[in-house]
Amino acid sequence: MADNTNVLVVEDEPAIVELVSYSLREAGWDIRSADTAQGAWESISRGKPDLVLLDWMLPDQSGLRLLARLRADRDFQDIPVIMLTAKSMEEDKIAGLNNGADDYVTKPFSPRELLARSRALLRRKSPHLAEAPLRAGAVTLDPNSCTVAVEGQQIDIGNAEYKLLKFLMAHRERVFSRAQLLDKVWGDHAVIEERTVDVHVLRLRKALKSADGLIRTVRSVGYMLSEK
Ligand code: CA
């Protein structure tokens, strides 16, 4: 089962990084960022992302150079790349596409448009990421629309609870400690305490209504999703 879609944002303007990260996290994706081409290369070398959003103008070298480097690398040539560009010049778009960009978005762009383009690209290039809905008991989670239904009725669910549920559904019948859930669901940068996990589990159970029994407490260990 695929983990969360992992996106690298290569951009040196903090406000844009923040906007993009916020919007894509809402979709349940994991976001990391780099503000130079070199930093991006190091980040990609540490772990291959599912998608790169690449700014054209970076402080150390152009995004186009980084793109060319990726496309020349056997391990990274297939990473889907969307260029973020302030340039609306037709020749620049053509240069980007000729150098292997899969798509481009011209600044200023709406986060919604960027998300839609990203989803479309991932569906096209990485169909394994356009995941099939996950089902457990009466619960259906659709990773593409980021919605959850109980007995066919869509429920209201917060972003944190959605991510927690998705993780547990993808790893059912396995017990995770609070520390593991913090790490797997919220990532390394989470500065939240273990008891916060309990709060989210409580909210998740509430959101799941009649299906709340799927989320089991395993005393002195942690939590699991079980259909048994
Ligand atoms: Ca820039």
Side-chain angles (χ1 to χ4, degrees), residues 131-134 140-149 162 166:
E131 298 154 82
L134 301 172
T140 308
L141 181 149
D142 182 347
N144 305 303
S145 60
C146 298
T147 55
V148 177
Y162 171 86
K166 186 178 173 196

Side-chain angles (χ1 to χ4, degrees), residues 6-18:
N6 193 301
V7 182
L8 174 65
V9 182
V10 188
E11 167 66 82
D12 58 316
E13 288 166 65
I16 295 180
V17 174
E18 198 175 324

Side-chain angles (χ1 to χ4, degrees), residues 10-13 16 35 55-59 84 107:
V10 188
E11 167 66 82
D12 58 316
E13 288 166 65
I16 295 180
D35 57 7
D55 184 30
W56 189 285
M57 305 285 278
L58 294 165
L84 308 177
K107 296 177 191 172

Side-chain angles (χ1 to χ4, degrees), residues 1-214:
M1 190 64 62
D3 282 321
N4 283 339
T5 300
N6 193 301
V7 182
L8 174 65
V9 182
V10 188
E11 167 66 82
D12 58 316
E13 288 166 65
I16 295 180
V17 174
E18 198 175 324
L19 178 71
V20 168
S21 304
Y22 180 80
S23 329
L24 299 189
R25 274 196 190 107
E26 286 291 291
W29 294 355
D30 289 333
I31 313 298
R32 48 194 166 119
S33 64
D35 57 7
T36 60
Q38 186 54 33
W41 183 261
E42 285 161 14
S43 177
I44 291 165
S45 303
R46 279 195 301 272
K48 190 173 164 181
D50 298 313
L51 172 68
V52 174
L53 304 177
L54 179 57
D55 184 30
W56 189 285
M57 305 285 278
L58 294 165
D60 53 344
Q61 55 175 239
S62 79
L64 208 55
R65 287 274 300 278
L66 177 63
L67 177 64
R69 198 173 167 194
L70 288 175
R71 291 303 181 237
D73 190 288
R74 201 176 47 197
D75 292 328
F76 304 139
Q77 61 189 193
D78 59 343
I79 299 175
V81 175
I82 296 179
M83 297 289 296
L84 308 177
T85 172
K87 304 183 172 195
S88 55
M89 303 282 288
E90 203 58 31
E91 64 230 54
D92 290 333
K93 291 175 186 172
I94 291 165
L97 294 172
N98 279 346
N99 279 276
D102 295 289
D103 201 354
Y104 57 85
V105 177
T106 306
K107 296 177 191 172
F109 52 82
S110 79
R112 193 184 293 257
E113 183 196 357
L114 182 64
L115 183 58
R117 296 276 197 103
S118 301
R119 280 207 171 111
L121 177 58
L122 286 175
R123 269 199 301 273
R124 198 164 79 233
K125 282 200 76 171
S126 313
H128 64 284
L129 290 172
E131 298 154 82
L134 301 172
R135 289 194 178 84
V139 178
T140 308
L141 181 149
D142 182 347
N144 305 303
S145 60
C146 298
T147 55
V148 177
V150 176
E151 283 165 1
Q153 294 287 317
Q154 195 171 316
I155 59 166
D156 282 329
I157 187 166
N159 186 41
E161 289 75 35
Y162 171 86
K163 287 182 74 174
L164 177 61
L165 177 63
K166 186 178 173 196
F167 178 78
L168 290 173
M169 287 180 88
H171 303 85
R172 62 192 72 189
E173 311 298 341
R174 274 173 59 188
V175 187
F176 293 95
S177 69
R178 289 165 179 81
Q180 283 175 316
L181 288 173
L182 276 181
D183 180 48
K184 304 278 187 190
V185 179
W186 283 275
D188 306 331
H189 306 299
V191 281
I192 38 182
E193 297 173 59
E194 292 191 11
R195 85 179 69 133
T196 310
V197 175
D198 301 332
V199 174
H200 289 300
V201 167
L202 206 70
R203 284 190 198 148
L204 174 57
R205 284 190 176 130
K206 211 168 164 187
L208 291 176
K209 296 173 186 164
S210 60
D212 61 351
L214 281 173

